[in-house]
């Protein structure tokens, strides 16, 4: 669906539960996704302002979704500073549980982009929610995270 | 599309401009609408809690959209109390302009539902935004309003 437009008034506004329980779970399980609206990218190869043009969805809402292969060096997602060419993403706050019918199906980490080098970078308005499955112990298949990036 | 479901994460969240400039304008002009997501109903024949089941869209967002033929007795929309079987809709605040590229294309009126008879009814959490075109001088064809109803 790259570049296709939705009918007027339709938006991709998934809940955390839909994003993790449907999109991320099916992607990691290698199952078909009804509409391929979330592209796979190598997130840290890009500065945040380079990412919107890689989104499959219209850009007017100032939010974008991506799958990103999970970095195997940090299996529990505990790396807090992730560098790009012009700056770094820094985690803020505590990870939040994503719950479906009382079961924890994943976690959401919030990160903010800083221009420059840690710890002296300048905070920007680029924000990322990074979602991981709670049970993504890799067994050879690629493991993904799903990213909700916004400019707030 | 009655009863059809959208892929996970997709919502019908039109802006005022899309609702008036695309959906209401095309409906009143008798033109085709890409996805028939808004049913025509005679709004005041129903109490608000009877309306959600008449919506074509999934109900989880607690908001619903309807076309309603415009009451010819009140061409400027100035009737403020509109009775149903169990209560009445009462306008609140001033009408707001709906603007597209600096031009006023319509107006939005906000109404709240009260149970009982005016002026002694009890305010409820049912809210309606009623949109009309700014230039809907009827020339024989049916004139519509579009309603965004929510339970807040």
């Amino acid at each position: 669906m790259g570049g296709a437009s939705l009918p007027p008034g339709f938006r991709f506004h998934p809940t955390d539960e839909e994003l993790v329980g449907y999109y991320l779970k099916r992607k990691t399980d290698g199952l078909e996704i009804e509409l391929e609206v979330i592209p796979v990218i190598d997130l840290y190869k890009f500065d945040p302002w380079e990412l919107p043009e890689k989104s499959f969805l219209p850009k007017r809402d100032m939010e974008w979704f991506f799958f990103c292969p999970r970095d195997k060096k940090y299996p529990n997602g505990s790396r807090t500073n992730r560098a790009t060419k012009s700056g770094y993403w820094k985690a803020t706050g505590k990870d939040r549980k994503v719950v479906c019918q009382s079961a924890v199906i994943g976690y959401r980490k919030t990160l903010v982009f800083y221009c420059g080098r840690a710890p002296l970078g300048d905070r920007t308005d680029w924000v990322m929610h990074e979602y991981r499955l709670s049970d993504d112990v890799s067994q050879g298949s690629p493991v993904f995270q799903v990213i909700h990036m916004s400019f707030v």
Side-chain angles (χ1 to χ4, degrees), chain A residues 17-71:
Chain A
E17 184 187 330
E18 288 170 328
L19 208 50
V20 172
Y22 181 81
Y23 288 96
L24 182 54
K25 179 79 174 121
R26 289 186 77 87
K27 186 71 180 176
T28 291
D29 288 350
L31 297 173
E32 196 190 342
I33 290 173
E34 194 174 340
L35 269 180
E36 294 282 355
V37 288
I38 306 181
V40 176
I41 60 159
D42 192 349
L43 196 78
Y44 299 100
K45 283 195 176 157
F46 304 99
D47 287 321
W49 47 87
E50 296 176 307
L51 292 171
E53 69 183 37
K54 303 186 184 308
S55 172
F56 288 166
L57 290 166
K59 288 136 193 75
R60 55 171 296 167
D61 287 333
M62 300 299 272
E63 54 178 348
W64 306 270
F65 295 88
F66 304 99
F67 287 122
C68 179
R70 178 128 171 203
D71 189 331

Side-chain angles (χ1 to χ4, degrees), chain A residues 79-126:
Chain A
R79 181 173 55 148
T80 50
N81 289 346
R82 302 132 193 259
T84 71
K85 196 172 50 176
S86 304
Y88 56 97
W89 290 95
K90 183 170 182 288
T92 178
K94 286 172 63 171
D95 288 10
R96 298 280 291 269
K97 290 172 186 160
V98 178
V99 174
C100 175
Q101 294 174 342
S102 312
V104 176
I105 58 172
Y107 297 93
R108 185 184 78 193
K109 183 188 288 295
T110 301
L111 303 102
V112 173
F113 189 76
Y114 289 72
C115 278
R117 284 297 152 226
L120 298 171
D122 293 318
R123 189 185 173 103
T124 71
D125 292 328
W126 294 95

